[in-house]
Amino acid sequence: MLCFRYLYFVIISSTAFSCLFLPKAAMGNCIPLPNPSSSRCLSKKSKAYPIDTTFNLPSPLPSWPAGSGFASGIVDLGGFLVTQITTFRKIWAAYEGGPDNLGATIFEPSPIPEGFFLLGCHSQPNNKPLFGWVLVGKDNTNDPSAAALEKPADYTLVWSSQSLKIKQDSPVYIWLPTPSDGYKAVGHIITNSPDKPSLDEIRCVRSDLTEQCEADGWIWGNNSNGLQIFGSRPVNRGVEAQGVSTGTLIVETTGNTSATTITCLKNAKSNLSCMPNLAQIEALIQAYSPWMYFHPDEEYLPSTVNWFFTNGSLLYKKGDESNPITVDPDGSNLPQGGSNDGAYWLDLPIDESAKERVKKGDLQTSRAYFHIKPMLGATFTDLAIWIFYPFNGPAKAKVGIIKSISLGKIGEHVGDWEHVTLRISNFNGELRSVYFSQHSGGQRVDAPELEFKNGNKPVAYASLNGHASYSQAGLVLQGSDSIGIRNDAAKSNMVIDTGVRYEVISADYLSIAEPPWLNYLRKWGPKINYDIDKEIEEVAKVLPGKLKSSFEKFVKSLPDEILGEEGPTGPKVKTNWYGDEV
Ligand SMILES: *[C@@H]1O[C@H](CO)[C@@H](O)[C@H](O)[C@H]1NC(C)=O
Ligand SMILES: *[C@@H]1O[C@H](CO)[C@@H](O)[C@H](O)[C@H]1NC(C)=O
Ligand SMILES: *[C@@H]1O[C@H](CO)[C@@H](O)[C@H](O)[C@H]1NC(C)=O
Ligand SMILES: *[C@@H]1O[C@H](CO)[C@@H](O)[C@H](O)[C@H]1NC(C)=O
């Protein structure tokens, strides 16, 4: 009976691997399986997994304008060189556990270019197309007494899948390199053999060229496996941080995390020669500028700041509220620097018809404002794309069976700054991910999950009234299914390619002159004083009795940025101006 079952599986499964519980030699002889329940291992890999496909951007990358280090394939970290490898040899896969219970795969970079060495292995869940990379390193110190890279002194076996009864390829062995004094391990070496690998197969890195690392994204495993696999990233991230992501996996075995032993790399001399120059930035914008869709019901569209100023917005000063002044087209008469201290604020024109007109913005002349940021020790360039809206419309909520109800003044505010951020590899200029800002948080979406239009331009949706950005059309509820703030995103004929009318407003490493309005650090709209109870009462009128009190409780629990009582500040005051997106 077992034999028939076995034969059946072989026939339907074109990719049957050697089975963990059944030696290869035994398979042909059709001897009874040692453990009847292990027949499940024979059905492994009988279907295709998303990871079997390698993701490529829809169009080939353009050839970038000439420059120094950008897209040259190699980054100099000050003592040694790294390059990013995206071609792999598969070492092992589990076909269960991990995201969507589809398992995960471990890879080593292959081929490794002449003179470079393995620093660690890479892993990805099987539920997504292959889009990984891992760094390999080359010593160019020419100083044998203080080499940047050194063979490990030994290895410790940290985990093996040998005894796991799961759908997997032939068992895997995960080894932690024991570095020599003054060196640190950047990754594990992973084999299919219980024998210790040769010490020549991986390199450790001199301690001063490393930085503390943390887990980034769960890849596979749980407590019953005794192992969890994560991605890795530097703990300190931001425009001035020197930590470099390596693309290696880190593991957590029961009671022991490798995040404390495995390190990230460090751009020790803060060398930014791999950042794009101005011509390269313009080419990046033409290659990847997002298309931004506005909701078909959107009334409050973007404008340039120039349009906002010249169409009658006013600057108020605390203590002198009755004498607001008009603002110069480039904002040069706005107070510069200082802090968000409430001493000044902007507001709409006083005249009612001018006010209503300015609230609607002017999509046809609006612009995208680009801020260019060196990230992750400048192995990446972030292009933060800021859009200005004169007005943020009222929030809408879903309350029970009432699908959409406007919350009146709740959520409204003057002056709304929103952004999406592109992350580009400085090794080759490839778009890796896009961060979509949503209220005070947001979401990072990797390139394989983006929608593209006209080649490699990602699509972004600005939600109705609140202008939070999303990678997909549809409804996102903040709150619960029974009561929540609506974020509606949809396509319409109101759409812009952010690379058509744009301005690069800041790139510190290029000493670009910033427009005066960028250094206005006070509020772009007044602090709104409204009576929350009165607004709630107004909205609650139409609600059935039993919904009223839960609605009231919900509204009062909303954060300030939705209640809209605080006027918003400009891009430079947000923490992500200098920091990583969170
Ligand atoms: C930065 O890296 C480039 C490219 O390798 C190199 O030519 C340059 O000398 C480096 N600058 C410093 C200050 O190390
Ligand atoms: C742990 O992972 C295995 C696969 O490796 C899976 O079969 C099992 O259901 C998981 N257990 C839990 C508690 O999630
Ligand atoms: C954690 O791993 C390190 C390095 O292999 C080892 O020295 C230590 O004993 C481990 N600790 C536990 C609790 O297993
Ligand atoms: C609005 O601003 C634009 C751009 O500065 C300007 O051309 C236009 O005349 C302004 N319209 C009004 C009514 O002020």
Side-chain angles (χ1 to χ4, degrees), residues 367-510:
R367 281 189 187 192
Y369 299 109
F370 281 75
H371 173 211
I372 319 300
K373 300 163 68 180
M375 285 304 291
L376 301 174
T379 49
F380 290 88
T381 299
D382 273 11
L383 269 61
I385 306 164
W386 291 90
I387 305 279
F388 176 71
Y389 301 80
F391 194 68
N392 184 110
K396 290 180 192 290
K398 173 177 181 287
V399 186
I401 52 162
I402 301 172
K403 285 202 183 108
S404 182
I405 184 167
S406 175
L407 298 189
K409 285 199 169 56
I410 297 172
E412 285 189 353
H413 59 85
V414 176
D416 185 23
W417 280 102
E418 301 285 345
H419 75 286
V420 294
T421 301
L422 310 177
R423 179 156 290 174
I424 287 152
S425 164
N426 286 347
F427 291 96
N428 57 4
E430 183 177 49
L431 175 69
R432 299 296 312 184
S433 65
V434 178
Y435 184 85
F436 293 85
S437 82
Q438 294 152 1
H439 309 293
S440 55
Q443 193 187 7
R444 180 171 297 287
V445 178
D446 287 334
E449 281 93 60
L450 292 167
E451 178 183 341
F452 288 96
K453 186 176 161 76
N454 289 27
N456 295 335
K457 292 171 182 263
V459 170
Y461 296 84
S463 70
L464 178 61
N465 286 359
H467 311 136
S469 50
Y470 291 90
S471 62
Q472 293 176 329
L475 166 66
V476 175
L477 275 182
Q478 272 174 288
S480 68
D481 279 353
S482 53
I483 301 186
I485 295 287
R486 292 185 68 99
N487 292 277
D488 289 283
K491 282 202 168 83
S492 74
N493 58 12
M494 292 182 286
V495 57
I496 51 171
D497 172 345
T498 54
V500 172
R501 286 179 314 278
Y502 69 91
E503 200 176 315
V504 176
I505 53 165
S506 184
D508 273 349
Y509 69 99
L510 294 175

Side-chain angles (χ1 to χ4, degrees), residues 156-158 176-178 253-258 260-261:
T156 326
L157 180 65
V158 293
L176 177 68
T178 314
T253 49
T254 313
N256 212 343
T257 164
S258 71
T260 51
T261 37

Side-chain angles (χ1 to χ4, degrees), residues 68-69 72 74-79 81 140 267 269-274:
S68 52
S72 69
I74 289 178
V75 173
D76 186 339
L77 294 181
L81 309 177
N140 69 339
N267 187 341
K269 292 183 183 152
S270 297
N271 190 334
L272 295 182
S273 66
C274 285

Side-chain angles (χ1 to χ4, degrees), residues 304-312 329 354 357-358 362 365:
T304 60
V305 293
N306 174 312
W307 185 94
F308 181 62
F309 297 150
T310 50
N311 282 255
R357 195 173 53 77
V358 171
D362 191 45
T365 62

Side-chain angles (χ1 to χ4, degrees), residues 88-244:
F88 296 105
R89 188 182 75 80
K90 178 180 167 188
I91 300 171
W92 177 78
Y95 300 103
E96 61 181 271
D100 299 335
N101 200 29
L102 289 179
T105 304
I106 294 178
F107 300 96
E108 66 177 22
S110 174
I112 295 178
E114 185 66 33
F116 284 83
F117 288 93
L118 179 73
L119 302 171
C121 292
H122 178 72
S123 181
Q124 264 186 253
N126 290 341
N127 71 337
K128 291 187 176 161
L130 180 59
F131 188 54
W133 54 271
V134 68
L135 300 185
V136 294
K138 179 180 180 173
D139 202 333
N140 69 339
T141 49
N142 296 319
D143 177 2
S145 67
L149 304 179
E150 194 68 81
K151 291 178 197 178
D154 196 7
Y155 295 109
T156 326
L157 180 65
V158 293
W159 188 79
S160 158
S161 70
Q162 202 178 8
S163 59
L164 273 196
K165 298 185 189 338
I166 57 163
K167 288 184 260 177
Q168 63 169 329
D169 295 337
S170 56
V172 70
Y173 300 83
I174 301 183
W175 307 87
L176 177 68
T178 314
S180 322
D181 268 1
Y183 290 81
K184 286 188 171 163
V186 173
H188 296 85
I189 184 154
I190 296 170
T191 65
N192 299 113
S193 152
D195 303 328
K196 249 185 211 182
S198 146
L199 296 176
D200 199 33
E201 287 193 21
I202 195 167
R203 291 291 182 274
C204 296
V205 176
R206 208 175 67 219
S207 301
D208 62 309
L209 300 171
T210 65
E211 236 194 55
Q212 199 188 343
C213 176
E214 67 181 17
D216 178 28
W218 174 64
I219 295 171
W220 190 79
N222 56 38
N223 285 337
S224 58
N225 303 140
L227 176 88
Q228 295 201 77
I229 303 177
F230 300 92
S232 61
R233 66 179 183 188
V235 172
N236 295 317
R237 301 178 308 280
V239 295
E240 284 174 0
Q242 294 164 285
V244 171

